[in-house]
Amino acid sequence: MKRKNNKAFTITELVIVIAVVAILAAVLIPTFSNVIEKANQSNDTVLVKNLNTALSSYEALNGKPSTMHEALTAVAEEGFLVEKLTPRSSGEILWEQTSNRFVLVKDNAIVFGDASTTANLGYTYWKIVKEMPTENANNYSLYLADGFTTEGALAVSGGIDVGNNSDISINYTNTTSEAQDVVFRTNGGTFIVNGELDTVSHYGTIHDIAIEQVAPHSYHEYGEVLSNMTISKGNVVIENTAVVPRIVVSGTETITVEINSSETDISVFGVNGATITEGMITNNASASVNEINDVDVPDASVFAGGKGTQAEPYIVTTNAQLEAIANYKGIKYHYQLGANLNDVNNIVLEETDIEFDLNGYSIETAVNSENSAAHYYLFNNYGVFTLKDTSDSQTGAIRARGLQNYNLMTIESGNLYTIDSNGGGACVWNETDDLENPATLYVYGGSFYVTGSPSGNMVACCINNQANSKAYIYGANFVTYYLAVVNSGYMEVTDSAVSGDINITPSTNTWWNSFKTYSGSELIMENITSNLSSSSLLENAGGRATLINCNVNQLGKPGQSYGYQANCIAVSGNGETTIKGGNYYSVAYGLYVYSSGGTFNIYDAEIEVTGDLPAIKGDIDSSSYPNAKINMSVYNSTITGKWQLAKNSVVNIYSGVLQNSGLTLEQVNGYLAEGSTATESNGTFTISQQ
């Protein structure tokens, strides 16, 4: 028997091998790491050079960017998305505002930069951040990357550019004993400045600015202030690009204001004992400056607490306190509801600027003594009014005939109920009484309810936008079996929903239009979702309407009969409705042209009707409406259901699919646009453009 000769390392040999490997690793790994780092650094240097070339080209045509956002936009036009670029090396890419150049920085030192970039690291250098650093040892200014979030205002000691983020509030304080030159760019929110030695420049939009103290000739406004600029100490320059409607002088220290902007009329208010003195305002432009001293600022005892600021709003707990908000005019005041209020009478707001927070509580108006079925309107607004609900419950509500707006109203959140049962009222009634100053409504959220019942053909609605008025609705929830929106002016509605109130039982055969727009009006609807049993989405009664990517489910209910109003979308009065994308489903009619005529332009949409009623329906009553016409154009759309159009209808089908149409090939060929052809397979027609 042979023996196997098994050879192996001894323990001593293994120890020696491991030691040799460790020594080689200790020597070679740093060498390899340095080689890799230098290679990556070289790539980053090339990137910085390319970025600076793009900036140089932009600067030659447009001048130096004022903000990092402008600089990033400039290089993005050349294909560089700096915010998404991650340096290959361990360094950071920063933008230096004075030289308008990018640099590569590592370990608090500039590794590579343009020759013009000579300044020491500090607040003239901008760093992109996704969250606030716990400490800012290099004292950089910060550019907030997309999706940046924060709880409360940012407390900072250097410049901030909010980028594409919105409604971020900033509190700036110079924490050093040295003067700083800092830049800020905002997109909404509030801004507090406390820099006695500093030069501060602001760009973008801001709701409110409070300048607690700045050095002489130190605060420069280049952007747009939506509400108040409050000054306690220092000098302010309103640059020629700025829009500042109201300046509030609230301190007794040295204050001067230099106006170089002619873009707007400016009102200057002296409050809290401050007086607008001779020489305080220097108007270098053609701006109209209105000086108002001794503004009546509420005494703290008028309300249940607060100071009227955004941080400390006046607290309203009684009907008398609510009525008192109409007395304080000129400058913006913030109010917060602190108790439920009932039997409130109508309140007229003239020359007021109010932000009102329902704070989870409710207000209900009294019944109008002249009409036992009608409640009062809560507010008649001739000033500037903003409604919101900041409570966690989001149950804050107004129950009234509605709110009337004649100037500027914004709804951010809250629940509005129009509770009349006499066929009138609206959660918001938007009406222009001065053609030079059209009533304007903005809605960014909230829910709108119709809880009344019709009186004949009259019914309350969620929003009534009257002629010559403007309404912009960016996210609302409409709950009604009847009218949701009436438009006789200009209206945009996006990202909103319409549904039925389960507490309302409409009569069996009653159908209403959720949206109705009239002659001379324009309505744009985008991303609207409608789930209703007894209301169509829209009747365009003589205006212009555009629907973009809407989703309509017209469901009906058992035992319900379907008259001509039972449809997804109707047009009348020779109005024109354009549909771009979306899905439209109905158990009754689909698209209906009433007897007074109208036009449908249909692009990339899906329209489906189940049952015996037509998906495309059009009537003409030439005796009552001699000028009525039916026009129908179809592009790349799928229509499932019957077609039933009056004779002499003008139809042009460019492309698409017709299913269960009930049409013959001859009839379809008669509807084809020039250059289009149709093929048939098992009753389905496919139309294409040659």
Side-chain angles (χ1 to χ4, degrees):
M1 181 180 218
K2 279 188 176 181
R3 285 189 177 180
K4 291 184 180 179
N5 187 12
N6 294 324
K7 293 185 178 182
F9 287 110
T10 66
I11 294 177
T12 302
E13 289 172 331
L14 284 174
V15 170
I16 293 171
V17 169
I18 293 170
V20 170
V21 171
I23 292 170
L24 289 174
V27 172
L28 294 178
I29 289 177
T31 301
F32 289 144
S33 297
N34 288 336
V35 170
I36 294 171
E37 176 69 8
K38 286 182 179 179
N40 289 336
Q41 200 172 97
S42 179
N43 286 327
D44 291 343
T45 297
V46 172
L47 173 59
V48 170
K49 286 180 179 178
N50 291 334
L51 291 172
N52 287 339
T53 299
L55 282 180
S56 180
S57 300
Y58 177 86
E59 185 176 329
L61 295 174
N62 305 284
K64 287 184 179 181
S66 301
T67 64
M68 187 173 186
H69 187 265
E70 186 181 351
L72 295 182
T73 301
V75 297
E77 293 176 358
E78 301 296 327
F80 297 104
L81 300 178
V82 178
E83 184 180 332
K84 297 181 180 180
L85 292 177
T86 302
R88 294 187 180 183
S89 68
S90 57
E92 297 177 310
I93 296 176
L94 309 180
W95 177 69
E96 203 280 310
Q97 67 187 42
T98 305
S99 62
N100 181 34
R101 293 293 184 267
F102 286 95
V103 298
L104 183 63
V105 173
K106 180 181 178 181
D107 297 332
N108 300 331
I110 297 176
V111 176
F112 175 79
D114 190 274
S116 61
T117 308
T118 57
N120 295 326
L121 292 177
Y123 287 130
T124 65
Y125 285 83
W126 290 77
K127 177 180 179 179
I128 299 173
V129 296
K130 295 182 179 180
E131 58 185 16
M132 286 297 290
T134 54
E135 57 180 344
N136 194 9
N138 294 314
N139 296 324
Y140 297 140
S141 290
L142 303 177
Y143 179 92
L144 309 185
D146 286 358
F148 183 95
T149 58
T150 179
E151 294 184 5
L154 296 180
V156 300
S157 57
I160 292 287
D161 187 328
V162 301
N164 296 316
N165 301 286
S166 59
D167 294 323
I168 292 179
S169 296
I170 299 170
N171 295 344
Y172 166 72
T173 302
N174 185 347
T175 57
T176 73
S177 59
E178 298 180 357
Q180 297 181 160
D181 187 342
V182 285
V183 174
F184 294 86
R185 179 185 163 275
T186 58
N187 183 20
T190 61
F191 185 26
I192 298 175
V193 178
N194 192 342
E196 188 174 11
L197 305 173
D198 299 342
T199 297
V200 178
S201 299
H202 173 257
Y203 298 84
T205 60
I206 195 76
H207 286 290
D208 293 277
I209 293 178
I211 302 169
E212 295 183 352
Q213 55 179 348
V214 288
H217 300 285
S218 65
Y219 183 89
H220 297 263
E221 180 59 55
Y222 293 91
E224 181 178 7
V225 181
L226 302 177
S227 185
N228 295 335
M229 173 184 283
T230 303
I231 309 171
S232 300
K233 179 182 178 182
N235 182 74
V236 172
V237 181
I238 311 299
E239 301 290 359
N240 60 357
T241 58
V243 177
V244 182
R246 286 180 296 280
I247 296 174
V248 180
V249 176
S250 66
T252 57
E253 301 271 0
T254 301
I255 296 173
T256 55
V257 179
E258 183 179 343
I259 300 173
N260 297 320
S261 172
S262 59
E263 293 297 317
T264 183
D265 294 339
I266 299 176
S267 295
V268 184
F269 299 90
V271 303
N272 296 332
T275 303
I276 304 167
T277 59
E278 184 177 354
M280 178 182 287
I281 310 297
T282 303
N283 187 2
N284 298 326
S286 57
S288 175
V289 179
N290 184 26
E291 298 181 5
I292 307 169
N293 273 315
D294 302 321
V295 173
D296 189 7
V297 179
D299 183 270
S301 62
V302 173
F303 299 101
K307 298 180 179 179
T309 64
Q310 187 175 52
E312 299 180 73
Y314 289 126
I315 305 301
V316 175
T317 58
T318 67
N319 288 10
Q321 290 170 355
L322 182 65
E323 293 168 0
I325 71 176
N327 299 329
Y328 305 105
K329 305 175 181 180
I331 66 176
K332 184 174 184 177
Y333 291 107
H334 301 260
Y335 300 90
Q336 187 177 77
L337 197 59
N340 295 324
L341 302 181
N342 298 301
D343 295 323
V344 177
N345 292 318
N346 173 248
I347 300 170
V348 179
L349 304 175
E350 295 183 285
E351 300 178 14
T352 54
D353 189 346
I354 290 171
E355 183 173 277
F356 197 92
D357 181 3
L358 291 170
N359 192 32
Y361 295 98
S362 65
I363 303 173
E364 182 165 341
T365 56
V367 175
N368 189 331
S369 59
E370 297 178 0
N371 187 340
S372 60
H375 277 239
Y376 284 109
Y377 280 102
L378 177 58
F379 296 122
N380 293 92
N381 175 56
Y382 294 88
V384 178
F385 183 85
T386 299
L387 180 72
K388 63 182 182 179
D389 180 7
T390 62
S391 68
D392 292 336
S393 64
Q394 290 286 290
T395 54
I398 292 175
R399 294 178 172 86
R401 189 174 176 87
L403 307 176
Q404 284 185 304
N405 177 53
Y406 297 95
N407 189 31
L408 176 60
M409 180 176 287
T410 301
I411 310 294
E412 295 183 0
S413 53
N415 301 283
L416 282 79
Y417 296 79
T418 177
I419 58 177
D420 288 337
S421 58
N422 69 338
C427 294
V428 180
W429 186 285
N430 196 47
E431 182 172 356
T432 295
D433 64 355
D434 179 1
L435 293 179
E436 294 183 358
N437 185 33
T440 304
L441 171 67
Y442 290 94
V443 177
Y444 296 100
S447 295
F448 300 77
Y449 300 83
V450 175
T451 60
S453 300
S455 176
N457 290 325
M458 298 294 293
V459 65
C461 62
C462 296
I463 294 177
N464 194 318
N465 187 52
Q466 289 287 292
N468 302 309
S469 303
K470 300 177 180 180
Y472 304 89
I473 302 169
Y474 304 120
N477 181 35
F478 301 110
V479 184
T480 174
Y481 268 126
Y482 306 111
L483 278 171
V485 171
V486 174
N487 177 51
S488 301
Y490 177 84
M491 176 179 284
E492 297 177 9
V493 189
T494 63
D495 301 322
S496 298
V498 187
S499 59
D501 187 343
I502 61 174
N503 295 315
I504 299 175
T505 304
S507 58
T508 302
N509 297 322
T510 300
W511 283 73
W512 295 83
N513 309 113
S514 297
F515 285 70
K516 191 160 186 175
T517 191
Y518 287 95
S519 177
S521 67
E522 183 168 1
L523 173 64
I524 300 172
M525 305 171 68
E526 184 171 4
N527 295 331
I528 308 301
T529 301
S530 172
N531 292 286
L532 294 163
S533 62
S534 298
S535 182
S536 65
L537 179 64
L538 168 68
E539 180 188 349
N540 175 11
R544 292 174 60 88
T546 302
L547 293 88
I548 304 170
N549 295 329
C550 295
N551 190 347
V552 179
N553 285 294
Q554 188 56 268
L555 304 176
K557 62 182 182 181
Q560 188 170 24
S561 60
Y562 305 121
Y564 70 95
Q565 287 182 310
N567 56 68
C568 284
I569 304 170
V571 64
S572 62
N574 281 331
E576 181 176 2
T577 297
T578 299
I579 300 171
K580 297 181 179 180
N583 297 279
Y584 303 85
Y585 171 81
S586 177
V587 297
Y589 295 100
L591 308 186
Y592 202 130
V593 181
Y594 291 162
S595 55
S596 53
T599 297
F600 275 111
N601 303 310
I602 308 165
Y603 298 82
D604 305 306
E606 293 190 12
I607 299 163
E608 181 181 1
V609 167
T610 56
D612 296 328
L613 296 176
I616 304 295
K617 171 71 172 173
D619 297 326
I620 286 290
D621 183 351
S622 56
S623 59
S624 300
Y625 306 100
N627 297 320
K629 297 178 181 179
I630 293 178
N631 293 282
M632 187 85 59
S633 296
V634 180
Y635 303 82
N636 194 37
S637 297
T638 299
I639 301 176
T640 302
K642 296 178 181 178
W643 286 58
Q644 192 177 94
L645 292 172
K647 293 181 179 180
N648 301 322
S649 298
V650 178
V651 179
N652 285 287
I653 304 177
Y654 291 84
S655 58
V657 176
L658 308 183
Q659 300 179 128
N660 304 327
S661 64
L663 299 174
T664 65
L665 180 59
E666 181 181 4
Q667 289 173 313
V668 171
N669 285 331
Y671 286 160
L672 297 184
E674 184 176 354
S676 294
T677 58
T679 59
E680 181 184 6
S681 176
N682 297 322
T684 296
F685 297 94
T686 301
I687 296 94
S688 58
Q689 190 95 50
Q690 297 300 310

